[in-house]
Amino acid sequence: MVDFQSVLNGIGITATKATDRGRIASYIPELEKIDLQKFGIHLINIKQHSFSSGDSDERFSIQSISKVFTLSMALGLIGEKLWERVDVEPSGDPFNHLSLLEMENGIPRNPLINPGAIVVADILVSILDNPKDDFLAFIRNLADDDSINYDEEVAQSEKMTGYRNYAAANLLKSYKNLTNDVDSVLDFYFHQCSISMSCAQLANAFYMFINNGNCRRNNTQLSKGQVKRINALMLTCGFYDEAGEFAFEVGLPGKSGVGGGIVALLPNEFCVATWSPGLNEKGNSKLGMLALERLTTQTELSIF
Ligand code: DON
């Protein structure tokens, strides 16, 4: 049996001492207020035993990690039809790049880059009666935690400065790959990114990706095949132009966010969430990546 707690304790001690912690995302002004010294990690295994270290119960902005939740909800609702509007190839580009979108006639490379996530948001806005309420209920059910909520200040902060997302949505609209109006889709998108969750809540919500689509409340959200596909997308596209590096160093499917969170998982074994708000040059949490490399190296547990 792997002693996860002592591995996490060691990771926590190293993180506390780290001097180069990366830089906090500044293009969403509200995120800049976060303390660079924060670090948390929480792991839940398939038997639902939990292990943690540091600021693992403190909530932060999940940002792009929300793209995995919207993708899961949309795939559960419309199934394979989703792939008519968004592809499944890694982009090798930063999350907010637009040039490929124009070259490929408005079909985003994958659902985890911003244009792809905006298409997925459009699908949910079309289908759901009360998109924001219904999506929040979906996440609360996954995490088995009804206290999870949007952060209105973060959502408004991004609405004021999200120029590239407005550009992406308008480009999608010009290619007829956006059904609803730009403002209502982006209102939903900025809200999904603003959701506040702790490492513990994120690891709990991702439990279904290690448990064949059954969440902690033991209701089935996705089929085995759908979970396989989402895990594959996390591996190949979850870290944008650093997906190769993450697979090389860590060896797990995962997803990052510019709030400094990363969630990663080993199917049938464990999922783990880390939080450290300082990012590297590619926009992924610097200490989070180091922590996960250490976790999979020390435990010898990875998909490879
Ligand atoms: O749309 C944006 O730019 C942000 N709301 C989310 C970007 C993000 O988290 C990229 N992840 N590493």
Side-chain angles (χ1 to χ4, degrees):
M1 243 302 259
V2 179
D3 184 354
F4 283 120
Q5 190 55 55
S6 72
V7 176
L8 297 198
N9 289 345
I11 289 172
I13 291 167
T14 310
T16 312
K17 292 185 192 148
T19 48
D20 183 1
R21 309 180 78 88
R23 292 170 61 112
I24 294 187
S26 57
Y27 76 104
I28 303 174
E30 200 62 24
L31 296 184
E32 251 190 315
K33 299 179 179 168
I34 311 298
D35 179 0
L36 185 59
Q37 296 305 314
K38 296 286 179 187
F39 177 84
I41 185 165
H42 185 103
L43 183 147
I44 171 172
N45 71 10
I46 190 70
K47 293 182 176 158
Q48 299 204 34
H49 298 152
S50 292
F51 310 88
S52 59
S53 171
D55 304 307
S56 59
D57 285 322
E58 189 163 329
R59 297 177 195 216
F60 58 90
S61 192
I62 68 169
Q63 292 297 321
S64 284
I65 297 170
S66 67
K67 294 169 180 171
V68 180
F69 296 134
T70 50
L71 173 63
S72 303
M73 192 176 193
L75 193 60
L77 288 168
I78 70 165
E80 301 292 300
K81 269 168 69 92
L82 193 142
W83 310 122
E84 292 168 13
R85 293 184 57 188
V86 54
D87 207 347
V88 295
E89 290 297 337
S91 67
D93 273 341
F95 57 88
N96 56 6
H97 254 222
L98 300 176
S99 51
L100 270 179
L101 185 61
E102 176 141 46
M103 267 158 49
E104 295 176 352
N105 300 318
I107 302 294
R109 270 286 167 112
N110 66 68
L112 301 181
I113 52 173
N114 289 8
I118 291 170
V119 168
V120 173
D122 182 51
I123 291 169
L124 291 178
V125 168
S126 293
I127 298 179
L128 301 175
D129 292 337
N130 300 297
K132 283 188 264 186
D133 290 348
D134 297 348
F135 178 60
L136 196 57
F138 177 77
I139 295 194
R140 287 174 170 179
N141 178 54
L142 290 187
D144 192 11
D145 189 330
D146 291 335
S147 71
I148 294 166
N149 227 324
Y150 296 110
D151 183 328
E152 208 52 52
E153 280 168 11
V154 172
Q156 294 311 322
S157 179
E158 190 168 12
K159 201 177 269 192
M160 304 300 288
T161 54
Y163 307 113
R164 296 190 74 86
N165 286 321
Y166 280 99
N170 278 294
L171 210 48
L172 289 164
K173 191 84 183 162
S174 78
Y175 284 108
K176 302 201 181 331
N177 199 5
L178 204 76
T179 311
N180 300 282
D181 66 86
V182 165
D183 285 331
S184 47
V185 177
L186 288 184
D187 179 63
F188 178 83
Y189 173 76
F190 294 142
H191 275 85
Q192 73 171 71
C193 291
S194 82
I195 286 176
S196 280
M197 289 170 78
S198 65
C199 292
Q201 289 169 327
L202 276 171
N204 288 341
F206 270 63
Y207 180 78
M208 74 160 166
F209 298 108
I210 66 169
N211 191 37
N212 295 320
N214 301 315
C215 68
R216 291 181 69 229
R217 279 185 183 162
N218 204 24
N219 45 41
T220 306
Q221 295 299 318
L222 294 172
S223 69
K224 252 182 167 178
Q226 288 171 329
V227 165
K228 178 184 84 175
R229 299 219 148 89
I230 294 178
N231 286 346
L233 282 166
M234 282 196 256
L235 183 75
T236 53
C237 312
F239 298 84
Y240 316 109
D241 47 341
E242 204 168 30
E245 179 79 7
F246 192 82
F248 183 81
E249 296 288 346
V250 179
L252 297 175
K255 184 73 203 83
S256 62
V258 289
I262 299 180
V263 191
L265 59 104
L266 182 60
N268 303 310
E269 295 283 345
F270 66 81
C271 50
V272 56
T274 63
W275 175 48
S276 170
L279 309 179
N280 64 20
E281 315 72 52
K282 303 284 175 82
N284 299 313
S285 170
K286 186 165 185 122
L287 294 190
M289 281 192 60
L290 291 173
L292 293 172
E293 186 279 330
R294 195 161 163 178
L295 174 73
T296 54
T297 301
Q298 287 192 359
T299 60
E300 299 184 343
L301 290 171
S302 88
I303 63 166
F304 303 110

